[in-house]
Amino acid sequence: MGGGIRLSHPRWLTTFEVHHGQVEKYRHGRVFLAGDAAHIHSPAGAQGRNTGIQDAANLAWKLALVVTGRVGADLLDSYHDERHPVGAAVVRMATKQTAIGTLSGPRRPCATSCCPWSGTSTRSPRPSRRDRPR
């Protein structure tokens, strides 16, 4: 970018690597997986905590009904069916957002101007005619 900044003598260098994945089943007998134990992905999109909380909420009310004897234990089978597709969608989207956000080279300007959430754009948006002061 030609900013004239030169960095030298770093005290510490590190790399960032993104891991992503999802377990096949959210239930294994009496063991239930939720949140990061069930799905792991990049922080892009900031959906990890919310997804984990939603997993826990979905499971909590079902466990409460089963433990108190109001419904049969087969209700717990629906936890995987309801939450696995949500986790899969979050992992897919976060992976795509990370790929766009970490583009470099000639494709980077396109990513930042076409997808403002993917990184910082150097171009400021031009107001439309109706948004301009009169």
Side-chain angles (χ1 to χ4, degrees), residues 1-10:
M1 294 193 7
I5 297 174
R6 182 184 166 130
L7 302 175
S8 62
H9 307 312

Side-chain angles (χ1 to χ4, degrees), residues 13-92:
L13 295 174
T14 189
T15 59
F16 174 73
E17 188 174 336
V18 175
H19 298 279
H20 60 274
Q22 183 180 29
V23 295
E24 277 186 43
K25 296 180 180 179
Y26 280 27
R27 179 181 184 182
H28 298 274
R30 294 176 48 172
V31 175
F32 294 88
L33 300 175
D36 288 353
H39 41 79
I40 190 76
H41 51 82
S42 157
Q47 297 181 53
R49 183 183 306 160
N50 288 339
T51 307
I53 291 169
Q54 292 167 4
D55 289 348
N58 182 285
L59 185 56
W61 71 266
K62 292 174 183 180
L63 284 171
L65 290 177
V66 170
V67 168
T68 58
R70 292 190 229 166
V71 298
D74 57 330
L75 175 65
L76 299 174
D77 293 333
S78 67
Y79 170 66
H80 169 85
D81 296 336
E82 293 169 5
R83 297 306 302 163
H84 192 273
V86 174
V90 169
V91 170
R92 269 193 315 276

Side-chain angles (χ1 to χ4, degrees), residues 56-130:
N58 182 285
L59 185 56
W61 71 266
K62 292 174 183 180
L63 284 171
L65 290 177
V66 170
V67 168
T68 58
R70 292 190 229 166
V71 298
D74 57 330
L75 175 65
L76 299 174
D77 293 333
S78 67
Y79 170 66
H80 169 85
D81 296 336
E82 293 169 5
R83 297 306 302 163
H84 192 273
V86 174
V90 169
V91 170
R92 269 193 315 276
M93 184 55 70
T95 301
K96 288 177 184 178
Q97 289 173 327
T98 300
I100 291 171
T102 57
L103 284 175
S104 61
R107 294 179 297 174
R108 177 69 181 169
C110 175
T112 56
S113 62
C114 298
C115 308
W117 46 264
S118 70
T120 305
S121 176
T122 55
R123 295 194 287 181
S124 65
R126 186 174 173 184
S128 68
R129 239 173 220 248
R130 69 184 158 92

